[in-house]
Amino acid sequence: MSEVKCLWPAGATLGEGPLWSPGEGALYWVDIKAPALHRYRLADGDTTSWVMPERIGWVIERANGEGLVAGFKDRGFVFLTPGSMAVEAIGQPEPDYPDNRFNDAKADSKGRIWAGTMDDNEREASGSLYRLDPDLDWQRADKDYVVTNGPAFSPDQRRLYHTDTFEGTIYAFDLSDDGRLSGKRVFAQIPEGDGYPDGMTCDAEGGLWVAHWGGWRISRFKPNGTLDRVIEMPVGQVTSCAFGGENLDRFFVTSAAIGLSDADLAEQPLAGGLFEVEVGTTGLPPGQFGG
């Protein structure tokens, strides 16, 4: 039985996007709809939160050490300055879709960001997967999603995983060195009773760890798509996961309290909290943006 402990009972409305910062020894994560950016420091458990000017889907560190890149609802791709959290716009890839917002993103080993958008009302298949290159140019890599989630990369960076949460489907793509996707195929289909696939990450052995929205669980899939492990969580709306710590052997999980009734919250009082789970394996170094 894997140990699950709550590190921060933050009560996040929509906790998402955990990101390990090796330089700070801390985990960043967002509350998309608060909107807020949170940081949990491992050494002493210190917690810090910043109010964001609009809905924020994710943050990724810059390789040059000059702060963060983030995905905002209205401004799209932006830089965030440490400390002051001043915002500098990069560009909005979807000016014609005002109801869309960024939802999840990761950087690959080439310093490119892969970020998905979605209909904030969760009705229209207007979401897409974008690639933001270090030269600040972006391209649409895939489209027709209602809710995008969880870009993740295999250890050799030759495979990209991306989720259509609304359809309960995790896709795998072949990823070329120059950033082209091909060979889109179903990697795993989540049964309806197990919730919906949300954020995810790969471990060093190539296993894919998936958070289940409405499923009260985290699951691990082998590289061939077969289910390997299921870890039960004390909250139903499990949103994302990431490895961190000095040796990348600590596993962090975010969650959400949005839409829960008083009765639901009585059953799961830690909803919206940040958790650590003992999984007995190690992860991959987090990607950083090269621009």
Side-chain angles (χ1 to χ4, degrees):
M1 174 99 38
S2 297
E3 180 184 0
V4 179
K5 62 180 178 180
C6 185
L7 298 177
W8 184 357
T13 302
L14 186 52
E16 267 283 8
L19 172 76
W20 170 243
S21 170
E24 296 188 45
L27 189 87
Y28 281 97
W29 58 295
V30 301
D31 186 341
I32 293 176
K33 295 193 175 184
L37 174 64
H38 301 308
R39 184 184 66 194
Y40 179 86
R41 195 164 60 204
L42 267 61
D44 56 7
D46 176 74
T47 60
T48 305
S49 298
W50 296 269
V51 175
M52 293 287 103
E54 58 185 87
R55 293 186 177 188
I56 177 174
W58 47 267
V59 293
I60 290 172
E61 289 193 305
R62 298 174 68 182
N64 62 11
E66 297 181 3
L68 306 167
V69 183
F72 277 8
K73 180 184 183 300
D74 297 326
R75 278 172 274 194
F77 295 111
V78 303
F79 290 124
L80 282 180
T81 302
S84 68
M85 290 296 167
V87 178
E88 178 187 350
I90 297 173
Q92 170 57 270
E94 297 186 332
D96 297 330
Y97 292 91
D99 290 333
N100 274 15
R101 65 167 173 83
F102 277 119
N103 193 53
D104 208 350
K106 295 283 195 317
D108 64 22
S109 63
K110 304 288 187 181
R112 302 171 296 219
I113 290 177
W114 297 83
T117 61
M118 60 171 279
D119 174 18
D120 204 18
N121 300 310
E122 300 181 20
R123 290 194 296 263
E124 303 296 328
S126 57
S128 295
L129 175 64
Y130 291 91
R131 188 193 73 232
L132 177 67
D133 295 328
D135 64 1
L136 305 186
D137 183 34
W138 60 78
Q139 302 288 334
R140 178 185 280 116
D142 199 22
K143 62 180 182 178
D144 298 330
Y145 295 83
V146 178
V147 178
T148 58
N149 254 307
F153 307 96
S154 60
D156 64 4
Q157 300 281 300
R158 306 299 297 177
R159 181 186 291 185
L160 179 145
Y161 299 100
H162 193 236
T163 289
D164 187 331
T165 296
F166 201 77
E167 297 296 333
T169 305
I170 302 171
Y171 291 104
F173 298 80
D174 297 318
L175 174 59
S176 67
D177 287 341
D178 62 0
R180 289 180 293 108
L181 297 183
S182 61
K184 181 179 181 179
R185 57 205 179 268
V186 174
F187 173 75
Q189 186 72 40
I190 306 301
E192 186 174 346
D194 292 346
Y196 296 88
D198 207 308
M200 55 192 180
T201 192
C202 275
D203 61 33
E205 298 174 350
L208 182 68
W209 293 85
V210 181
H212 291 240
W213 177 275
W216 298 80
R217 70 189 64 189
I218 293 283
S219 60
R220 181 186 189 268
F221 290 86
K222 295 180 179 180
N224 64 5
T226 60
L227 181 64
D228 178 51
R229 293 177 62 186
V230 173
I231 298 174
E232 294 182 357
M233 295 291 294
V235 293
Q237 296 176 162
V238 189
T239 57
S240 195
C241 51
F243 286 93
E246 184 177 355
N247 298 312
L248 296 173
D249 57 355
R250 299 179 68 174
F251 189 71
F252 304 100
V253 179
T254 54
S255 64
I258 190 170
L260 297 181
S261 66
D262 290 343
D264 292 330
L265 291 171
E267 181 183 8
Q268 44 181 311
L270 297 176
L274 174 68
F275 297 86
E276 181 173 359
V277 182
E278 176 58 53
V279 297
T281 189
T282 58
L284 302 168
Q288 297 179 321
F289 182 55

